[in-house]
Amino acid sequence: MPVVFRTRLILAFLLFLALPLLADDTETYKALRAAKVDGRTVALSNFTFDRDAYHFTLNGALHLLGPAAGHDAVAVFLGQGSYDLTPALEAEKRQLAIWAGDDKLTALHDEFESAVFFAPDLLAKADSPRSGAPDSRASGVYDTYMKKQRRDFSTNVHLRLAQDFYNAARETVFVAYLDGRKLPPAMLVVDPLGALASSGGEQTMLYVQDEMKGGIWYSSHLRSEIESGKAAVIKPLADATRYEIETTIAPNTEVSGTTVITATPSADVRLLPVNLAAKLRLQEAAYSPASATPPAWSPATFVQEDEKDDADAAIIFPAAVKAGQPILVKLVYKGKEVLTDAGDGNYFVGARTSWYPNFGTFDDLADYELKFHVPQKNQIIAIGSETENRVEGEQRISSWRSSHPLRVAGFNYGRFKKMSTTDKESGMTVDVYTNTGTPDIINRINRILEATNGAAMSENDYESLAPSGPTHVSVNAASLAQSAMADGINTARTGNFYFGALPDKKVSITQQSEWFFGQSWPSLVYLPYLAFLDGTTRMTLGLQGAKDFVDAVGPHEMAHQWWGHEVGWRGYRDQWLSEGFAEFTAGLVLQQSGGWKTYNAFWEKARRNIVEKPRGASLPNDQAGPISQGWRLSTWQNRNADGVIIYDKGGYVLHMLRMQMWDAAKKNPDEDFAAMMHDFVATWSGRNPSTIDFQRIVEKHLTPQLRLTSDGKVNWFFNQWVYGTAIPRYSSKLTVSDAGGGKYRISGTITQSEVPNDFAVVMPLYLQFDKQTVIRFGATALIGNATKDLNVELALPRKPQAALINVNHDVLAR
């Protein structure tokens, strides 16, 4: 995957700060981008320096590139060099060992003969350079790097460094490109503004570019922050409070638009990075004080490299704007491939978070006003509420507005049939939009079936063949809209009960022409095409195994209205608070419709997923790392572990909390759990909590079974389930005997194994009277690898058939 450096966003305005004006606002950037090895060199002998977790040793020479803004910022190193990466966290040490394929690795050491350094502060401290002729080898190393930056890394490092110069940053970004003896080409980064998008502000990163072993090998906050226990809060450089987006979609799906953003800077800066899909090309940029009525637009320059290269976009203003002074920014753009025509009025919307220019999605909330101009026969379904829908000539014009700040704007596009219901119990209006036409993919499938006299497609490749019978499938998605409607209503009712009512009382569930990909935006749900296929059609296509996915995907995506939109998440390490919580919610919805049997089957499938070793993987899913590693769990040793651990194990953790807080003595046994979840939503509505923030809410609602320590904390629970990888194995030998006088003795042993010595659980105990009657009668604490004796007498109306543990998947186990 391409590495994306976090570029903090800020606006610059001429009237706000009197700085010397440049004849060309892009001069510094152009100088950085065009710089070449100029013949100046700095000799290095046993030269060492540190950058957070990195320690470098250089013997050779730095070949400087031409200066920019009076600074030597970039240099090529030739000689004998080495670096050591010593992880600041145990979890990162383990992650590094997994990537390296070395279980004993504690620090990464590599050597190199050439490197490219973006390091203005380092070069400023080096000895005075000697002049001479440019070295051809150094020039070749830099040319090779530039090809990598454009096509492989896909991030504009020059623009990131230019941001520091334009914004007069106290600390500049450090980037080293190395082609080591052990590692493939790699980028070593220490960025005071955060090295990785959605990292929660982690500043240090090692990114390896390789087809087999490529990925983010290391990411962490600064060692000093970890040791102090206080990570710096990196504020967005501009807080966008309003987006006005006008979009025109041409018959050939080309998109053109104008977006006006109201934003307030948090610092004095001149360069504004902008999130925008590379295929959308900026045409014009302008700015105005937010107080001007009408806006007093002045032109601004912009940077955007070729769409196939490192196409990060930015605006550069003539002078810096003062922090705290709101301004407007207007951007005009145009391009293709934001929409994919799937045939017969079906479309797929790509660039979900960058189809409009923005200063960050999901992290930042803003009001939205959207206006669309589309071919008259097509429709737009967007976030918020529709305020206008009219036909003007060959165009349909529709407008949409949010009722409160949202995290992102989105839309679906095509020809739809609508079904609508207002559910009195939940107060939610659910609109379901299904496509009216047949997408190209169904036509292609039918051609294959006909040509092979009835062969079905495998679950992942509709062009592979397997024995079947039917030679034609027809899809009437509208007939299955009722199922999508039921999922929406059931999830709304379940969510209201367990988490609290949503601020938006309407949601649009829309069909999209993607087989397995669902997604949720504020008040707008995209369901995959597969979710609208009936069981017979799925069987014809060889998709029998998709039933569980189809049953859960609707409730899961609907659940994101709470988890991801109402309540966000801090960084990638906390994403389980969105995906895992949505998966848990899907399980709750299935329980409401199918009972405990269906609920238990849901978690049994999750349990098997968590502990299995997938075909082609070197590591079982559970050993790929803890939940707190987020999507970085995907490594060459197990490419799909991230989804299993974030979704399945993340959901399982919340399920375990529910079962720990279950109180059968209360009219509503979920009373304590629901109160906790209501509190979490109310406390963090419109904000981005971390895992620690959720833990603090849990500690506010401690039940007796969660009080394993006297300090009122649940570190024991989160350390082993969120930050750890251990999964216990249990066995029990329990008998039930008549003790006389209407009492029965439950005795025997329960054994916990394959865990660290301090691993603790509270194991619920059950009595089974018949197939339909199982009651929970107590619980017992288990610590470490141990066997515990059980000997209790209970007054019971009749003799139980058996005493059991973990009946409702109360504890994740092997």
Side-chain angles (χ1 to χ4, degrees):
M1 62 177 290
V3 59
V4 180
F5 299 121
R6 176 180 291 277
T7 47
R8 294 291 173 172
L9 310 174
I10 196 62
L11 310 178
F13 188 67
L14 173 63
L15 301 178
F16 295 173
L17 186 64
L19 290 180
L21 302 186
L22 299 178
D24 180 356
D25 291 323
T26 62
E27 181 179 1
T28 298
Y29 169 73
K30 288 179 178 177
L32 278 170
R33 185 77 180 191
K36 302 291 184 183
V37 173
D38 64 8
R40 295 177 299 142
T41 60
V42 177
L44 303 174
S45 178
N46 199 31
F47 181 80
T48 63
F49 67 96
D50 296 304
R51 284 294 182 275
D52 188 45
Y54 296 111
H55 177 75
F56 291 87
T57 301
L58 303 178
N59 287 282
L62 292 172
H63 298 256
L64 305 184
L65 275 65
H71 299 280
D72 287 319
V74 187
V76 174
F77 169 78
L78 298 179
Q80 298 298 317
S82 67
Y83 72 90
D84 292 279
L85 168 57
T86 305
L89 292 166
E90 284 299 316
E92 286 302 314
K93 184 184 297 183
R94 188 176 187 279
Q95 182 88 10
L96 203 58
I98 289 173
W99 276 111
D102 181 358
D103 292 339
K104 298 180 180 179
L105 184 75
T106 58
L108 180 67
H109 175 83
D110 203 1
E111 298 174 354
F112 52 91
E113 295 180 352
S114 64
V116 176
F117 288 103
F118 292 78
D121 60 338
L122 173 66
L123 299 181
K125 297 174 183 177
D127 292 339
S128 298
R130 298 175 55 184
S131 298
D135 185 288
S136 60
R137 185 185 168 206
S139 297
V141 167
Y142 188 71
D143 290 343
T144 298
Y145 164 74
M146 284 303 299
K147 291 176 183 178
K148 288 284 185 182
Q149 175 176 301
R150 291 188 180 103
R151 299 301 171 92
D152 295 329
F153 298 128
S154 300
T155 193
N156 192 335
V157 179
H158 299 84
L159 186 60
R160 173 63 191 88
L161 184 55
Q163 179 183 340
D164 288 339
F165 289 150
Y166 280 103
N167 298 347
R170 295 179 180 178
E171 297 179 84
T172 56
V173 64
F174 170 87
V175 178
Y177 165 78
L178 305 169
D179 196 351
R181 292 179 180 174
K182 293 181 181 179
L183 289 189
M187 298 282 276
L188 289 63
V189 182
V190 181
D191 189 341
L193 298 183
L196 180 67
S198 301
S199 69
E202 294 178 353
Q203 302 98 324
T204 304
M205 179 184 70
L206 171 64
Y207 174 77
V208 175
Q209 199 285 315
D210 182 72
E211 186 174 342
M212 174 65 179
K213 294 188 176 182
I216 297 172
W217 285 38
Y218 179 83
S219 180
S220 174
H221 286 281
L222 299 176
R223 183 183 299 279
S224 58
E225 294 181 352
I226 292 171
E227 291 174 350
S228 68
K230 296 180 180 179
V233 177
I234 302 174
K235 295 181 179 179
L237 299 183
D239 177 20
T241 55
R242 181 176 178 81
Y243 288 89
E244 297 175 45
I245 307 168
E246 186 160 6
T247 303
T248 298
I249 300 175
N252 66 352
T253 71
E254 183 177 61
V255 170
S256 57
T258 299
T259 294
V260 176
I261 310 170
T262 305
T264 303
S266 62
D268 300 347
V269 291
R270 288 187 58 213
L271 189 147
L272 159 65
V274 177
N275 297 326
L276 184 65
K279 295 290 184 179
L280 288 174
R281 310 305 295 170
L282 286 171
Q283 310 286 309
E284 177 188 332
Y287 59 102
S288 167
S291 58
T293 307
W297 296 114
S298 298
T301 58
F302 58 84
V303 172
Q304 190 180 34
E305 298 296 334
D306 187 85
E307 64 184 46
K308 295 181 181 179
D309 291 341
D310 47 345
D312 299 337
I315 305 169
I316 303 173
F317 296 85
V321 63
K322 283 287 187 181
Q325 298 192 15
I327 63 171
L328 305 177
V329 172
K330 179 169 68 175
L331 298 167
V332 181
Y333 44 95
K334 187 175 184 179
K336 296 181 179 180
E337 299 184 33
V338 170
L339 285 168
T340 300
D341 188 342
D344 201 12
N346 295 269
Y347 296 86
F348 174 69
V349 182
R352 294 278 174 88
T353 60
S354 56
W355 65 272
Y356 62 98
N358 62 77
F359 300 161
T361 56
F362 289 95
D363 287 344
D364 201 12
L365 280 75
D367 294 315
Y368 284 90
E369 189 162 340
L370 315 178
K371 190 170 187 177
F372 295 90
H373 305 257
V374 305
Q376 184 268 336
K377 292 182 179 180
N378 294 340
Q379 298 165 262
I380 289 287
I381 316 299
I383 53 99
S385 299
E386 189 175 40
T387 59
E388 175 188 33
N389 192 326
R390 59 187 171 86
V391 174
E392 189 175 288
E394 296 297 316
Q395 285 191 331
R396 179 177 299 277
I397 300 171
S398 64
S399 298
W400 301 75
R401 180 179 299 163
S402 63
S403 61
H404 59 93
L406 303 177
R407 298 175 184 277
V408 65
F411 69 96
N412 207 345
Y413 176 65
R415 298 173 195 168
F416 301 99
K417 182 178 180 179
K418 178 182 177 181
M419 175 186 290
S420 182
T421 297
T422 298
D423 177 49
K424 292 182 180 180
E425 181 176 327
S426 66
M428 182 71 71
T429 296
V430 179
D431 298 335
V432 178
Y433 293 87
T434 52
N435 298 130
T436 59
T438 302
D440 292 340
I441 189 171
I442 296 296
N443 293 326
R444 290 200 300 272
I445 286 171
N446 282 328
R447 286 196 296 269
I448 293 171
L449 290 173
E450 292 165 4
T452 59
N453 194 30
M457 275 55 68
S458 74
E459 190 163 331
N460 295 315
D461 181 1
Y462 64 82
E463 291 184 355
S464 65
L465 307 177
S468 183
T471 59
H472 182 83
V473 296
S474 59
V475 179
N476 183 4
S479 68
L480 295 166
Q482 193 65 49
S483 176
M485 176 73 72
D487 284 343
I489 291 173
N490 289 338
T491 308
R493 292 176 178 178
T494 301
N496 282 3
F497 179 83
Y498 282 96
F499 317 132
L502 293 165
D504 287 318
K505 303 305 178 185
K506 182 181 77 68
V507 66
S508 298
I509 300 175
T510 66
Q511 183 180 1
Q512 66 174 359
S513 299
E514 281 282 304
W515 275 106
F516 297 99
F517 180 64
Q519 202 168 24
S520 182
W521 256 219
S523 73
L524 175 66
V525 174
Y526 306 91
L527 283 187
Y529 202 87
L530 184 64
F532 291 87
L533 303 184
D534 59 40
T536 300
T537 302
R538 294 200 304 269
M539 184 171 294
T540 300
L541 300 179
L543 302 174
Q544 298 93 324
K547 182 182 183 302
D548 291 340
F549 170 78
V550 171
D551 289 345
V553 66
H556 176 102
E557 298 304 339
M558 180 69 177
H560 278 305
Q561 299 303 308
W562 285 270
W563 313 122
H565 297 306
E566 178 69 6
V567 178
W569 68 93
R570 180 73 55 83
Y572 73 89
R573 296 183 186 274
D574 310 297
Q575 195 174 359
W576 75 284
L577 299 178
S578 174
E579 298 297 354
F581 280 36
E583 194 70 359
F584 167 78
T585 306
L588 282 180
V589 174
L590 291 174
Q591 182 187 6
Q592 306 312 308
S593 59
W596 281 97
K597 181 179 179 181
T598 301
Y599 187 66
N600 266 310
F602 180 84
W603 293 116
E604 173 58 19
K605 182 174 184 293
R607 187 195 68 80
R608 292 197 307 267
N609 288 343
I610 293 165
V611 300
E612 80 168 348
K613 182 179 178 181
R615 182 181 301 175
S618 303
L619 281 174
N621 290 324
D622 62 290
Q623 292 304 302
I627 293 172
S628 56
Q629 291 299 105
W631 51 260
R632 290 181 53 227
L633 290 162
S634 174
T635 68
W636 65 271
Q637 296 214 49
N638 188 326
R639 290 295 179 190
N640 299 313
D642 56 331
V644 173
I645 299 303
I646 296 171
Y647 285 67
D648 291 334
K649 189 179 179 184
Y652 216 119
V653 168
L654 194 56
H655 161 69
M656 286 192 288
L657 277 174
R658 179 196 182 197
M659 301 317 297
Q660 291 285 289
M661 301 179 77
W662 183 271
D663 189 346
K666 293 186 176 181
K667 182 178 180 181
N668 171 20
D670 273 323
E671 179 183 321
D672 295 327
F673 176 77
M676 178 187 73
M677 298 305 291
H678 276 252
D679 189 7
F680 182 53
V681 172
T683 301
W684 288 97
S685 176
R687 297 195 293 158
N688 302 316
S690 67
T691 298
I692 292 174
D693 295 318
F694 175 60
Q695 179 179 333
R696 288 170 180 156
I697 295 293
V698 174
E699 289 168 350
K700 283 178 60 179
H701 296 265
L702 282 184
T703 57
Q705 287 190 177
L706 285 171
R707 294 182 182 274
L708 283 190
T709 57
S710 59
D711 58 4
K713 304 293 184 182
V714 286
N715 292 337
W716 63 273
F717 182 90
F718 281 81
N719 285 344
Q720 60 196 36
W721 294 117
V722 179
Y723 305 111
T725 61
I727 296 178
R729 187 181 300 277
Y730 293 102
S731 63
S732 63
K733 297 179 180 179
L734 300 175
T735 60
V736 179
S737 58
D738 193 333
K743 293 184 177 182
Y744 297 89
R745 181 178 302 280
I746 295 91
S747 59
T749 60
I750 303 171
T751 299
Q752 175 175 264
S753 60
E754 301 182 27
V755 293
N757 290 332
D758 60 350
F759 193 95
V761 301
V762 178
M763 176 60 72
L765 306 171
Y766 294 86
L767 294 175
Q768 180 178 12
F769 291 90
D770 52 53
K771 289 184 178 180
Q772 285 74 39
T773 309
V774 179
I775 65 168
R776 180 168 167 174
F777 74 89
T780 187
L782 301 167
I783 301 176
N785 297 287
T787 296
K788 186 166 187 177
D789 293 326
L790 185 68
N791 191 351
V792 296
E793 283 189 7
L794 297 174
L796 300 170
R798 57 191 170 107
K799 183 179 179 179
Q801 293 178 355
L804 306 170
I805 64 170
N806 221 14
V807 167
N808 291 317
H809 290 77
D810 309 80
V811 179
L812 175 60
R814 298 192 181 281

